[in-house]
Amino acid sequence: MDDTTTKKQEKVPAKDQAANNNIDGLAEAPIESEAEESSPETRATELEAELAEYKDRLLRALAETENVRRRAQREREDASKYAVAGFAKDLLSAADNLRRALESLPESEAKDERTRSLLAGVAATERELLGVFERHGIKRIDPKGECFDHNFHQAIFETERPDQPSGSVVEVLQPGYVIHDRLLRPAMVGVAKGGAKPSEPA
């Protein structure tokens, strides 16, 4: 056993010493995977705030859904109520022509049976057309003697009528029509001016 053997033994550490060195090294190294845990009170506060936010979002989403449902229902009802509006508006001129035909020759002036039968047929056709209008919520506006209403009447002229209240309808040039509560065509009217003011309803 020379000095060489002694030096080799000094360089190789004992097994127990090596194991102890490894343990000490691990103990001294910081453990990065462990995060600092917040206190239960802080965590509870955070969860309550998060819950309140989600509850607010849910309520807003439910309100929006209800609004969309109501809007869709209203549009569906309007579509069913006013779907015939365009078609009915095109038929109004036919109704006007039937009325003009009846007014062009009063029944009292018809001299023969054929003419009276023709007038009766035209009158029956007008009644049938107006009946179809009524079944679909379309009503004729014939406001003679009523107070002028700009929502449903269109004034074509004003005339001096001292015997009529000022602002009342004295002549209907063309009847108007409404479909349910919506104006289809305003009545074209002549309005009195210069007379007494119409009495206001009590």
Side-chain angles (χ1 to χ4, degrees), residues 144-165:
K144 189 170 182 178
E146 298 177 7
C147 188
F148 177 78
D149 184 354
H150 68 277
N151 293 312
F152 298 102
H153 311 151
Q154 181 178 346
I156 303 302
F157 65 88
E158 284 187 318
T159 181
E160 294 284 350
R161 292 288 179 88
D163 58 328
Q164 296 291 333

PDB file of all heavy atoms in Angstrom, residues 144-165:
ATOM      1  N   LYS A 144    -118.786  61.302 -43.204  1.00  0.00           N
ATOM      2  CA  LYS A 144    -119.589  62.506 -43.429  1.00  0.00           C
ATOM      3  C   LYS A 144    -120.317  62.898 -42.141  1.00  0.00           C
ATOM      4  O   LYS A 144    -120.948  62.071 -41.489  1.00  0.00           O
ATOM      5  CB  LYS A 144    -120.607  62.264 -44.543  1.00  0.00           C
ATOM      6  CG  LYS A 144    -121.317  63.533 -44.975  1.00  0.00           C
ATOM      7  CD  LYS A 144    -122.124  63.321 -46.226  1.00  0.00           C
ATOM      8  CE  LYS A 144    -122.776  64.626 -46.664  1.00  0.00           C
ATOM      9  NZ  LYS A 144    -123.541  64.459 -47.913  1.00  0.00           N
ATOM     10  N   GLY A 145    -120.190  64.178 -41.768  1.00  0.00           N
ATOM     11  CA  GLY A 145    -120.818  64.683 -40.547  1.00  0.00           C
ATOM     12  C   GLY A 145    -119.944  64.535 -39.310  1.00  0.00           C
ATOM     13  O   GLY A 145    -120.285  65.088 -38.260  1.00  0.00           O
ATOM     14  N   GLU A 146    -118.859  63.810 -39.430  1.00  0.00           N
ATOM     15  CA  GLU A 146    -117.966  63.636 -38.283  1.00  0.00           C
ATOM     16  C   GLU A 146    -116.921  64.756 -38.247  1.00  0.00           C
ATOM     17  O   GLU A 146    -116.734  65.482 -39.229  1.00  0.00           O
ATOM     18  CB  GLU A 146    -117.258  62.281 -38.363  1.00  0.00           C
ATOM     19  CG  GLU A 146    -118.196  61.088 -38.311  1.00  0.00           C
ATOM     20  CD  GLU A 146    -117.457  59.772 -38.463  1.00  0.00           C
ATOM     21  OE1 GLU A 146    -116.193  59.793 -38.468  1.00  0.00           O
ATOM     22  OE2 GLU A 146    -118.122  58.728 -38.593  1.00  0.00           O
ATOM     23  N   CYS A 147    -116.246  64.867 -37.122  1.00  0.00           N
ATOM     24  CA  CYS A 147    -115.161  65.844 -36.989  1.00  0.00           C
ATOM     25  C   CYS A 147    -113.938  65.345 -37.757  1.00  0.00           C
ATOM     26  O   CYS A 147    -113.645  64.140 -37.746  1.00  0.00           O
ATOM     27  CB  CYS A 147    -114.832  66.046 -35.515  1.00  0.00           C
ATOM     28  SG  CYS A 147    -113.662  67.392 -35.215  1.00  0.00           S
ATOM     29  N   PHE A 148    -113.246  66.249 -38.422  1.00  0.00           N
ATOM     30  CA  PHE A 148    -112.071  65.873 -39.211  1.00  0.00           C
ATOM     31  C   PHE A 148    -110.985  65.285 -38.306  1.00  0.00           C
ATOM     32  O   PHE A 148    -110.665  65.832 -37.261  1.00  0.00           O
ATOM     33  CB  PHE A 148    -111.529  67.097 -39.956  1.00  0.00           C
ATOM     34  CG  PHE A 148    -110.281  66.814 -40.743  1.00  0.00           C
ATOM     35  CD1 PHE A 148    -110.337  66.175 -41.965  1.00  0.00           C
ATOM     36  CD2 PHE A 148    -109.029  67.184 -40.242  1.00  0.00           C
ATOM     37  CE1 PHE A 148    -109.183  65.905 -42.677  1.00  0.00           C
ATOM     38  CE2 PHE A 148    -107.875  66.917 -40.955  1.00  0.00           C
ATOM     39  CZ  PHE A 148    -107.956  66.275 -42.172  1.00  0.00           C
ATOM     40  N   ASP A 149    -110.436  64.148 -38.733  1.00  0.00           N
ATOM     41  CA  ASP A 149    -109.364  63.476 -37.994  1.00  0.00           C
ATOM     42  C   ASP A 149    -108.219  63.225 -38.967  1.00  0.00           C
ATOM     43  O   ASP A 149    -108.344  62.425 -39.896  1.00  0.00           O
ATOM     44  CB  ASP A 149    -109.879  62.152 -37.416  1.00  0.00           C
ATOM     45  CG  ASP A 149    -108.828  61.440 -36.555  1.00  0.00           C
ATOM     46  OD1 ASP A 149    -107.676  61.914 -36.505  1.00  0.00           O
ATOM     47  OD2 ASP A 149    -109.168  60.412 -35.948  1.00  0.00           O
ATOM     48  N   HIS A 150    -107.102  63.905 -38.753  1.00  0.00           N
ATOM     49  CA  HIS A 150    -105.984  63.798 -39.691  1.00  0.00           C
ATOM     50  C   HIS A 150    -105.362  62.401 -39.712  1.00  0.00           C
ATOM     51  O   HIS A 150    -104.624  62.071 -40.630  1.00  0.00           O
ATOM     52  CB  HIS A 150    -104.906  64.845 -39.374  1.00  0.00           C
ATOM     53  CG  HIS A 150    -104.207  64.601 -38.076  1.00  0.00           C
ATOM     54  ND1 HIS A 150    -104.720  65.012 -36.862  1.00  0.00           N
ATOM     55  CD2 HIS A 150    -103.040  63.968 -37.798  1.00  0.00           C
ATOM     56  CE1 HIS A 150    -103.895  64.662 -35.899  1.00  0.00           C
ATOM     57  NE2 HIS A 150    -102.866  64.017 -36.424  1.00  0.00           N
ATOM     58  N   ASN A 151    -105.670  61.583 -38.710  1.00  0.00           N
ATOM     59  CA  ASN A 151    -105.141  60.218 -38.695  1.00  0.00           C
ATOM     60  C   ASN A 151    -105.835  59.321 -39.719  1.00  0.00           C
ATOM     61  O   ASN A 151    -105.239  58.341 -40.179  1.00  0.00           O
ATOM     62  CB  ASN A 151    -105.296  59.598 -37.300  1.00  0.00           C
ATOM     63  CG  ASN A 151    -104.429  60.291 -36.268  1.00  0.00           C
ATOM     64  OD1 ASN A 151    -103.250  60.518 -36.491  1.00  0.00           O
ATOM     65  ND2 ASN A 151    -105.025  60.658 -35.141  1.00  0.00           N
ATOM     66  N   PHE A 152    -107.089  59.650 -40.056  1.00  0.00           N
ATOM     67  CA  PHE A 152    -107.864  58.798 -40.958  1.00  0.00           C
ATOM     68  C   PHE A 152    -108.430  59.535 -42.170  1.00  0.00           C
ATOM     69  O   PHE A 152    -108.933  58.895 -43.088  1.00  0.00           O
ATOM     70  CB  PHE A 152    -109.032  58.147 -40.190  1.00  0.00           C
ATOM     71  CG  PHE A 152    -108.583  57.256 -39.079  1.00  0.00           C
ATOM     72  CD1 PHE A 152    -108.623  57.691 -37.759  1.00  0.00           C
ATOM     73  CD2 PHE A 152    -108.108  55.979 -39.335  1.00  0.00           C
ATOM     74  CE1 PHE A 152    -108.199  56.874 -36.724  1.00  0.00           C
ATOM     75  CE2 PHE A 152    -107.681  55.155 -38.312  1.00  0.00           C
ATOM     76  CZ  PHE A 152    -107.732  55.603 -36.999  1.00  0.00           C
ATOM     77  N   HIS A 153    -108.360  60.857 -42.166  1.00  0.00           N
ATOM     78  CA  HIS A 153    -108.952  61.647 -43.252  1.00  0.00           C
ATOM     79  C   HIS A 153    -107.887  62.496 -43.936  1.00  0.00           C
ATOM     80  O   HIS A 153    -106.922  62.908 -43.300  1.00  0.00           O
ATOM     81  CB  HIS A 153    -110.054  62.576 -42.717  1.00  0.00           C
ATOM     82  CG  HIS A 153    -111.045  61.885 -41.842  1.00  0.00           C
ATOM     83  ND1 HIS A 153    -111.722  62.525 -40.818  1.00  0.00           N
ATOM     84  CD2 HIS A 153    -111.479  60.594 -41.820  1.00  0.00           C
ATOM     85  CE1 HIS A 153    -112.532  61.666 -40.211  1.00  0.00           C
ATOM     86  NE2 HIS A 153    -112.389  60.490 -40.801  1.00  0.00           N
ATOM     87  N   GLN A 154    -108.112  62.732 -45.219  1.00  0.00           N
ATOM     88  CA  GLN A 154    -107.242  63.629 -45.970  1.00  0.00           C
ATOM     89  C   GLN A 154    -108.112  64.744 -46.540  1.00  0.00           C
ATOM     90  O   GLN A 154    -109.005  64.487 -47.356  1.00  0.00           O
ATOM     91  CB  GLN A 154    -106.536  62.877 -47.101  1.00  0.00           C
ATOM     92  CG  GLN A 154    -105.595  63.749 -47.905  1.00  0.00           C
ATOM     93  CD  GLN A 154    -104.873  62.971 -48.989  1.00  0.00           C
ATOM     94  OE1 GLN A 154    -104.882  61.743 -48.986  1.00  0.00           O
ATOM     95  NE2 GLN A 154    -104.255  63.670 -49.909  1.00  0.00           N
ATOM     96  N   ALA A 155    -107.868  65.977 -46.093  1.00  0.00           N
ATOM     97  CA  ALA A 155    -108.682  67.117 -46.535  1.00  0.00           C
ATOM     98  C   ALA A 155    -108.267  67.524 -47.945  1.00  0.00           C
ATOM     99  O   ALA A 155    -107.105  67.819 -48.198  1.00  0.00           O
ATOM    100  CB  ALA A 155    -108.525  68.272 -45.565  1.00  0.00           C
ATOM    101  N   ILE A 156    -109.250  67.534 -48.851  1.00  0.00           N
ATOM    102  CA  ILE A 156    -108.994  67.944 -50.233  1.00  0.00           C
ATOM    103  C   ILE A 156    -109.331  69.414 -50.422  1.00  0.00           C
ATOM    104  O   ILE A 156    -108.666  70.134 -51.164  1.00  0.00           O
ATOM    105  CB  ILE A 156    -109.804  67.064 -51.210  1.00  0.00           C
ATOM    106  CG1 ILE A 156    -109.468  65.575 -51.009  1.00  0.00           C
ATOM    107  CG2 ILE A 156    -109.543  67.462 -52.662  1.00  0.00           C
ATOM    108  CD1 ILE A 156    -108.011  65.227 -51.181  1.00  0.00           C
ATOM    109  N   PHE A 157    -110.369  69.881 -49.738  1.00  0.00           N
ATOM    110  CA  PHE A 157    -110.744  71.296 -49.843  1.00  0.00           C
ATOM    111  C   PHE A 157    -111.468  71.712 -48.565  1.00  0.00           C
ATOM    112  O   PHE A 157    -111.915  70.870 -47.782  1.00  0.00           O
ATOM    113  CB  PHE A 157    -111.639  71.541 -51.069  1.00  0.00           C
ATOM    114  CG  PHE A 157    -112.969  70.852 -50.999  1.00  0.00           C
ATOM    115  CD1 PHE A 157    -114.070  71.464 -50.400  1.00  0.00           C
ATOM    116  CD2 PHE A 157    -113.136  69.576 -51.540  1.00  0.00           C
ATOM    117  CE1 PHE A 157    -115.292  70.823 -50.330  1.00  0.00           C
ATOM    118  CE2 PHE A 157    -114.355  68.938 -51.488  1.00  0.00           C
ATOM    119  CZ  PHE A 157    -115.444  69.555 -50.875  1.00  0.00           C
ATOM    120  N   GLU A 158    -111.551  73.030 -48.380  1.00  0.00           N
ATOM    121  CA  GLU A 158    -112.354  73.624 -47.310  1.00  0.00           C
ATOM    122  C   GLU A 158    -113.441  74.467 -47.953  1.00  0.00           C
ATOM    123  O   GLU A 158    -113.232  75.075 -48.997  1.00  0.00           O
ATOM    124  CB  GLU A 158    -111.499  74.504 -46.395  1.00  0.00           C
ATOM    125  CG  GLU A 158    -110.631  73.726 -45.418  1.00  0.00           C
ATOM    126  CD  GLU A 158    -109.934  74.633 -44.425  1.00  0.00           C
ATOM    127  OE1 GLU A 158    -109.447  75.706 -44.844  1.00  0.00           O
ATOM    128  OE2 GLU A 158    -109.881  74.282 -43.246  1.00  0.00           O
ATOM    129  N   THR A 159    -114.591  74.496 -47.316  1.00  0.00           N
ATOM    130  CA  THR A 159    -115.701  75.261 -47.881  1.00  0.00           C
ATOM    131  C   THR A 159    -116.461  75.983 -46.771  1.00  0.00           C
ATOM    132  O   THR A 159    -116.517  75.496 -45.635  1.00  0.00           O
ATOM    133  CB  THR A 159    -116.663  74.333 -48.652  1.00  0.00           C
ATOM    134  OG1 THR A 159    -117.730  75.097 -49.212  1.00  0.00           O
ATOM    135  CG2 THR A 159    -117.223  73.248 -47.757  1.00  0.00           C
ATOM    136  N   GLU A 160    -117.006  77.139 -47.132  1.00  0.00           N
ATOM    137  CA  GLU A 160    -117.790  77.915 -46.159  1.00  0.00           C
ATOM    138  C   GLU A 160    -119.144  77.232 -45.961  1.00  0.00           C
ATOM    139  O   GLU A 160    -119.923  77.088 -46.895  1.00  0.00           O
ATOM    140  CB  GLU A 160    -118.004  79.350 -46.675  1.00  0.00           C
ATOM    141  CG  GLU A 160    -116.734  80.171 -46.789  1.00  0.00           C
ATOM    142  CD  GLU A 160    -116.228  80.668 -45.454  1.00  0.00           C
ATOM    143  OE1 GLU A 160    -116.972  80.528 -44.451  1.00  0.00           O
ATOM    144  OE2 GLU A 160    -115.092  81.163 -45.385  1.00  0.00           O
ATOM    145  N   ARG A 161    -119.390  76.788 -44.748  1.00  0.00           N
ATOM    146  CA  ARG A 161    -120.670  76.170 -44.397  1.00  0.00           C
ATOM    147  C   ARG A 161    -121.100  76.707 -43.027  1.00  0.00           C
ATOM    148  O   ARG A 161    -120.798  76.099 -42.007  1.00  0.00           O
ATOM    149  CB  ARG A 161    -120.549  74.648 -44.341  1.00  0.00           C
ATOM    150  CG  ARG A 161    -120.317  73.967 -45.675  1.00  0.00           C
ATOM    151  CD  ARG A 161    -121.577  73.991 -46.552  1.00  0.00           C
ATOM    152  NE  ARG A 161    -121.349  73.361 -47.822  1.00  0.00           N
ATOM    153  CZ  ARG A 161    -121.505  72.069 -48.057  1.00  0.00           C
ATOM    154  NH1 ARG A 161    -121.893  71.269 -47.091  1.00  0.00           N
ATOM    155  NH2 ARG A 161    -121.289  71.586 -49.257  1.00  0.00           N
ATOM    156  N   PRO A 162    -121.802  77.837 -43.024  1.00  0.00           N
ATOM    157  CA  PRO A 162    -122.197  78.427 -41.731  1.00  0.00           C
ATOM    158  C   PRO A 162    -123.104  77.504 -40.915  1.00  0.00           C
ATOM    159  O   PRO A 162    -123.147  77.601 -39.686  1.00  0.00           O
ATOM    160  CB  PRO A 162    -122.954  79.704 -42.132  1.00  0.00           C
ATOM    161  CG  PRO A 162    -122.509  79.982 -43.530  1.00  0.00           C
ATOM    162  CD  PRO A 162    -122.211  78.665 -44.157  1.00  0.00           C
ATOM    163  N   ASP A 163    -123.820  76.603 -41.594  1.00  0.00           N
ATOM    164  CA  ASP A 163    -124.739  75.719 -40.880  1.00  0.00           C
ATOM    165  C   ASP A 163    -124.048  74.484 -40.296  1.00  0.00           C
ATOM    166  O   ASP A 163    -124.676  73.702 -39.578  1.00  0.00           O
ATOM    167  CB  ASP A 163    -125.867  75.276 -41.820  1.00  0.00           C
ATOM    168  CG  ASP A 163    -125.318  74.564 -43.054  1.00  0.00           C
ATOM    169  OD1 ASP A 163    -124.202  74.917 -43.491  1.00  0.00           O
ATOM    170  OD2 ASP A 163    -125.989  73.651 -43.570  1.00  0.00           O
ATOM    171  N   GLN A 164    -122.763  74.318 -40.623  1.00  0.00           N
ATOM    172  CA  GLN A 164    -122.008  73.140 -40.137  1.00  0.00           C
ATOM    173  C   GLN A 164    -120.899  73.597 -39.188  1.00  0.00           C
ATOM    174  O   GLN A 164    -120.320  74.672 -39.380  1.00  0.00           O
ATOM    175  CB  GLN A 164    -121.379  72.388 -41.315  1.00  0.00           C
ATOM    176  CG  GLN A 164    -122.370  71.773 -42.284  1.00  0.00           C
ATOM    177  CD  GLN A 164    -123.117  70.613 -41.665  1.00  0.00           C
ATOM    178  OE1 GLN A 164    -122.612  69.947 -40.762  1.00  0.00           O
ATOM    179  NE2 GLN A 164    -124.336  70.363 -42.142  1.00  0.00           N
ATOM    180  N   PRO A 165    -120.604  72.792 -38.173  1.00  0.00           N
ATOM    181  CA  PRO A 165    -119.490  73.152 -37.275  1.00  0.00           C
ATOM    182  C   PRO A 165    -118.171  73.219 -38.038  1.00  0.00           C
ATOM    183  O   PRO A 165    -117.919  72.422 -38.948  1.00  0.00           O
ATOM    184  CB  PRO A 165    -119.470  72.012 -36.256  1.00  0.00           C
ATOM    185  CG  PRO A 165    -120.803  71.362 -36.347  1.00  0.00           C
ATOM    186  CD  PRO A 165    -121.262  71.548 -37.761  1.00  0.00           C
TER     187      PRO A 165
END
